[in-house]
Amino acid sequence: AFDGTNLADILKERNIKSFFAGGFLTNMCVEESIHEASQIEGLDVYALTDGCAAKSPEEHFAATNGTFPLLCSTCTCHQAASIVRSLVTRDGVPPALMGNIINNSRAKRASLALRNTIGERRNTFLQAARHSAYMKMVEQVPSNDLPSRTRLSIATLLNYYPEKEEPDEAGFDPACPIFMMVGSQRSGSNWLRTMLSEREDLAGPHPPHILRDFFPILDKFGDLENEENLHILVDHVCTFVEKNQVTWLDKHGRPVKFDRERVLDVAISTVDIMRMVHKDKDIHQKYYLIAIFDEIQNLNAIACDKRTWICKSMGNSQYHDMLLTYYGEERLRYIYLVRDCRDVALSFMKTPVGDCHYYAIISKWTKLQR
């Protein structure tokens, strides 16, 4: 982009402070342009990790995860859009937030979180689009028909993506049922999950137990109505999944990385819509975690080009009431696994973890069935 051109002079003449690089090839033309741009004083350089491509996934991964972080900030196209919108409305952005944007590529390359440090909620594009879609839908429903309004919002708006209002035949469908496995350990859940994941329409990643592990410590994150605290929770959960003992892979076999800003936007707008729909219920802060869990599963299904997903975290049924409020009867589905308790005991006795005596194993199995 710079060799043999006057692009550097143009950037300086027009006082351009931000430079986004994408294109083909990731590890050649894009990388060279980023290297040259990083030498220009005062220029914030961003590499669009999903806006460029190489001849092989390995070459692309090596550049975006190895070379680029040494030269500039990396971001997705979705994150770049958020940055650009903030820069376009620079005069109306709080100084603390603008400072985060300007200093990001030099001092804060490790994080692209566009946080408002005074904790006020941003009226995001996604939230505005969802609310607009909701109002258009409810105009077609009689004012006294609350169940229909609830059904419309739960089935569609809780997973509403403005850029994809109608699902493709083989693509992710935000209104499609999702599945939870229920049962005891050593009941063949991993075996079943692996088989079901081979379907063309169902994503079944190995589960880090998000709800089980984060609900007990949720109060440690403070008031989740404060966006900064919520952003920390989002980052912890995303990192927890990305570091899972069995790596989540997209349809090209690459590790799935989650857009923290998108997950944050979805969590905020989803809970806001739920509070608007379920005025008779207490939509408390725990629903933020369910919204984060749901969006992570959705993004993985999108990365795998699957229509919907299944979660093998067997203990999710203990949060059934909240899950039912979140997904609604039309979307929430359970697969109940029952294996003969004698087989369960023999299987457990061969593993290095858990109870080892058949009486303790069968007692726990019996309690779970009740």
Side-chain angles (χ1 to χ4, degrees):
F2 291 90
D3 188 26
T5 72
N6 63 339
L7 178 58
D9 295 332
I10 294 174
L11 295 175
K12 292 179 181 178
E13 290 172 3
R14 298 186 180 182
N15 197 31
I16 294 175
K17 301 296 184 182
S18 299
F19 181 85
F20 296 84
F24 188 79
L25 294 161
T26 310
N27 58 325
M28 296 182 69
C29 301
V30 178
E31 183 175 317
E32 181 61 27
S33 297
I34 289 173
H35 185 272
E36 294 174 342
S38 66
Q39 307 302 313
I40 300 176
E41 186 177 357
L43 185 65
D44 290 334
V45 183
Y46 300 87
L48 302 174
T49 55
D50 59 348
C52 50
K55 290 184 177 179
S56 70
E58 292 77 16
E59 290 174 326
H60 178 80
F61 185 81
T64 56
N65 291 269
T67 309
F68 288 179
L70 300 176
L71 301 171
C72 66
S73 296
T74 58
C75 65
T76 65
C77 293
H78 180 79
Q79 290 172 322
S82 298
I83 297 172
V84 170
R85 282 195 296 271
S86 298
L87 293 173
V88 168
T89 58
R90 176 177 301 228
D91 293 339
V93 177
L97 178 58
M98 185 49 60
N100 283 348
I101 296 172
I102 293 174
N103 296 326
N104 184 69
S105 75
R106 296 292 187 268
K108 298 185 179 181
R109 285 179 180 166
S111 173
L112 276 169
L114 304 180
R115 293 195 293 260
N116 185 334
T117 56
I118 61 176
E120 293 180 356
R121 285 292 167 80
R122 288 173 292 116
N123 184 22
T124 63
F125 170 76
L126 177 60
Q127 182 176 340
R130 284 181 166 188
H131 284 189
S132 175
Y134 172 78
M135 296 311 297
K136 289 180 181 178
M137 293 175 69
V138 297
E139 287 174 0
Q140 305 173 15
V141 180
S143 59
N144 60 350
D145 191 0
L146 181 60
S148 293
R149 293 190 178 204
T150 303
R151 194 159 53 247
L152 285 171
S153 61
I154 294 297
T156 305
L157 292 174
L158 292 186
N159 295 293
Y160 178 75
Y161 297 92
E163 69 273 19
K164 190 176 182 180
E165 296 187 17
E166 296 295 332
D168 299 332
E169 290 185 4
F172 177 71
D173 182 356
C176 192
I178 56 91
F179 301 89
M180 306 280 184
M181 283 195 190
V182 181
S184 65
Q185 290 180 291
R186 316 307 301 176
S187 294
S189 56
N190 256 320
W191 168 74
L192 179 60
R193 174 192 65 80
T194 304
M195 286 199 306
L196 291 176
S197 191
E198 292 300 313
R199 291 175 56 100
E200 294 182 354
D201 57 354
L202 189 64
H206 183 277
H209 304 288
I210 296 174
L211 302 185
R212 184 197 71 182
D213 291 346
F214 277 89
F215 266 134
I217 62 172
L218 203 59
D219 60 327
K220 305 296 184 183
F221 291 89
D223 181 10
L224 297 181
E225 301 300 336
N226 181 309
E227 187 176 323
E228 188 162 357
N229 293 341
L230 184 57
H231 191 286
I232 293 172
L233 174 62
V234 167
D235 184 58
H236 276 65
V237 176
C238 290
T239 302
F240 179 68
V241 177
E242 290 170 349
K243 300 296 184 182
N244 188 41
Q245 57 181 325
V246 179
T247 304
W248 289 18
L249 303 176
D250 65 13
K251 63 181 180 181
H252 301 296
R254 300 171 300 196
V256 176
K257 300 295 182 182
F258 298 103
D259 182 343
R260 271 67 166 168
E261 282 300 306
R262 174 164 180 165
V263 176
L264 177 66
D265 286 347
V266 169
I268 291 173
S269 54
T270 296
V271 172
D272 284 347
I273 289 177
M274 290 188 70
R275 286 170 175 163
M276 189 164 59
V277 172
H278 297 289
K279 295 180 179 179
D280 58 330
K281 294 185 179 182
D282 178 22
I283 306 300
H284 45 75
Q285 296 188 24
K286 288 186 177 181
Y287 281 96
Y288 283 118
L289 181 60
I290 293 181
I292 294 168
F293 158 78
D294 178 61
E295 181 62 6
I296 285 175
Q297 295 283 359
N298 293 342
L299 290 176
N300 178 70
I302 292 171
C304 296
D305 198 24
K306 298 296 183 75
R307 189 171 181 81
T308 188
W309 51 266
I310 183 171
C311 179
K312 192 202 80 73
S313 192
M314 308 284 274
N316 282 355
S317 59
Q318 63 183 302
Y319 311 110
H320 169 73
D321 290 345
M322 285 191 292
L323 291 171
L324 184 61
T325 299
Y326 187 93
Y327 290 108
E329 294 182 358
E330 295 184 354
R331 294 197 64 209
L332 183 61
R333 296 286 186 271
Y334 288 104
I335 297 177
Y336 183 30
L337 295 179
V338 181
R339 186 182 184 187
D340 190 298
C341 61
R342 294 167 292 185
D343 289 332
V344 172
L346 288 172
S347 178
F348 250 124
M349 292 167 68
K350 296 177 182 178
T351 65
V353 296
D355 297 312
C356 296
H357 194 276
Y358 64 86
Y359 179 80
I361 297 170
I362 293 177
S363 297
K364 185 178 291 185
W365 181 92
T366 302
K367 183 179 179 181
L368 282 172
Q369 305 314 308
R370 291 174 178 170

